[in-house]
Amino acid sequence: MTLHTGTDPVRELAERIADAVDSHPAVAGLHRGPDRRVATHLPGGPVEGVRCTGAGDPVEVCLVAYLGDSLVEVSEQVRQYVREAAGDVAVHVTVADVIAAEHPPG
Protein backbone atom coordinates (compact mmCIF):
# COMPACT_ATOMS: atom_id res chain seq x y z
CA MET A 1 0.00 0.00 0.00
CA THR A 2 1.28 3.45 -0.89
CA LEU A 3 2.29 5.45 2.16
CA HIS A 4 2.95 8.89 0.69
CA THR A 5 2.10 10.91 -2.35
CA GLY A 6 4.09 13.70 -3.85
CA THR A 7 6.51 14.62 -6.54
CA ASP A 8 9.63 12.73 -5.43
CA PRO A 9 10.30 10.41 -8.40
CA VAL A 10 12.37 7.94 -6.34
CA ARG A 11 9.60 7.65 -3.71
CA GLU A 12 6.99 7.20 -6.43
CA LEU A 13 9.12 4.50 -8.07
CA ALA A 14 9.81 2.69 -4.78
CA GLU A 15 6.13 2.77 -3.80
CA ARG A 16 5.05 1.60 -7.27
CA ILE A 17 7.46 -1.35 -6.96
CA ALA A 18 6.27 -2.12 -3.40
CA ASP A 19 2.65 -2.09 -4.55
CA ALA A 20 3.47 -4.39 -7.48
CA VAL A 21 5.32 -6.92 -5.28
CA ASP A 22 2.58 -6.83 -2.64
CA SER A 23 0.00 -7.62 -5.32
CA HIS A 24 1.57 -11.02 -6.09
CA PRO A 25 -0.70 -13.71 -4.59
CA ALA A 26 2.22 -15.75 -3.20
CA VAL A 27 3.74 -12.75 -1.40
CA ALA A 28 2.70 -12.32 2.21
CA GLY A 29 4.49 -8.97 2.49
CA LEU A 30 7.69 -7.03 2.13
CA HIS A 31 10.60 -7.42 4.55
CA ARG A 32 13.69 -5.33 5.34
CA GLY A 33 15.89 -8.43 5.24
CA PRO A 34 17.93 -10.20 7.88
CA ASP A 35 20.31 -7.26 8.26
CA ARG A 36 17.50 -4.67 7.87
CA ARG A 37 19.17 -3.01 4.89
CA VAL A 38 16.55 -3.47 2.18
CA ALA A 39 14.75 -0.14 2.14
CA THR A 40 14.68 3.05 0.13
CA HIS A 41 15.42 5.79 2.65
CA LEU A 42 13.72 9.06 1.79
CA PRO A 43 12.39 12.13 3.55
CA GLY A 44 9.08 11.20 5.09
CA GLY A 45 10.21 7.69 5.94
CA PRO A 46 11.57 4.60 4.23
CA VAL A 47 9.89 2.35 1.72
CA GLU A 48 10.71 -0.96 3.41
CA GLY A 49 11.45 -4.09 1.42
CA VAL A 50 12.45 -2.19 -1.73
CA ARG A 51 15.81 -0.63 -2.46
CA CYS A 52 16.08 1.55 -5.54
CA THR A 53 17.88 4.75 -6.45
CA GLY A 54 16.07 5.90 -9.57
CA ALA A 55 14.69 5.08 -12.98
CA GLY A 56 16.74 2.52 -14.88
CA ASP A 57 18.86 1.53 -11.87
CA PRO A 58 18.92 -1.99 -10.39
CA VAL A 59 16.22 -2.84 -7.84
CA GLU A 60 16.42 -5.06 -4.78
CA VAL A 61 13.31 -6.48 -3.13
CA CYS A 62 13.00 -8.62 -0.03
CA LEU A 63 9.80 -10.45 0.77
CA VAL A 64 7.99 -13.04 2.81
CA ALA A 65 6.33 -15.79 0.76
CA TYR A 66 3.56 -18.22 1.49
CA LEU A 67 4.62 -21.85 2.03
CA GLY A 68 3.78 -24.19 -0.82
CA ASP A 69 4.77 -22.16 -3.84
CA SER A 70 8.04 -22.76 -5.66
CA LEU A 71 10.33 -20.00 -4.44
CA VAL A 72 12.20 -20.04 -7.76
CA GLU A 73 8.95 -19.47 -9.64
CA VAL A 74 7.73 -16.83 -7.20
CA SER A 75 11.05 -14.98 -7.48
CA GLU A 76 10.91 -14.98 -11.27
CA GLN A 77 7.30 -13.80 -11.26
CA VAL A 78 8.17 -11.03 -8.79
CA ARG A 79 10.99 -9.93 -11.10
CA GLN A 80 8.40 -9.57 -13.87
CA TYR A 81 6.07 -7.60 -11.59
CA VAL A 82 8.96 -5.26 -10.72
CA ARG A 83 9.89 -4.82 -14.39
CA GLU A 84 6.28 -3.96 -15.21
CA ALA A 85 6.46 -1.24 -12.55
CA ALA A 86 10.03 -0.03 -13.11
CA GLY A 87 11.00 -0.91 -16.68
CA ASP A 88 13.67 -3.30 -17.93
CA VAL A 89 15.99 -3.21 -14.91
CA ALA A 90 18.11 -5.74 -13.07
CA VAL A 91 16.08 -7.13 -10.15
CA HIS A 92 17.48 -8.99 -7.16
CA VAL A 93 14.86 -10.88 -5.11
CA THR A 94 15.48 -12.18 -1.60
CA VAL A 95 12.96 -14.39 0.18
CA ALA A 96 13.59 -13.55 3.83
CA ASP A 97 10.99 -15.87 5.28
CA VAL A 98 8.21 -18.30 4.41
CA ILE A 99 5.01 -18.53 6.38
CA ALA A 100 2.68 -21.51 6.64
CA ALA A 101 -0.62 -19.86 5.88
CA GLU A 102 -3.32 -20.06 3.27
CA HIS A 103 -3.24 -17.62 0.41
CA PRO A 104 -5.55 -14.69 0.95
CA PRO A 105 -8.75 -14.84 -1.11
CA GLY A 106 -8.59 -13.42 -4.61
Side-chain angles (χ1 to χ4, degrees):
M1 174 181 281
T2 303
L3 301 174
H4 297 86
T5 59
T7 59
D8 183 334
V10 176
R11 175 171 295 285
E12 290 176 3
L13 176 62
E15 289 179 346
R16 191 168 58 244
I17 293 166
D19 289 344
V21 173
D22 267 339
S23 74
H24 191 287
V27 173
L30 292 164
H31 193 283
R32 288 192 68 160
D35 56 5
R36 301 191 48 81
R37 67 176 179 78
V38 183
T40 303
H41 296 280
L42 298 162
V47 178
E48 297 186 356
V50 175
R51 186 164 55 176
C52 66
T53 57
D57 292 338
V59 173
E60 181 177 3
V61 295
C62 187
L63 58 91
V64 176
Y66 288 109
L67 182 66
D69 292 305
S70 163
L71 297 182
V72 173
E73 289 178 21
V74 170
S75 295
E76 187 54 42
Q77 292 166 359
V78 165
R79 282 184 191 90
Q80 291 305 317
Y81 277 46
V82 171
R83 289 183 182 123
E84 289 172 12
D88 188 21
V89 296
V91 181
H92 178 76
V93 177
T94 300
V95 178
D97 201 357
V98 178
I99 61 172
E102 295 295 317
H103 285 254

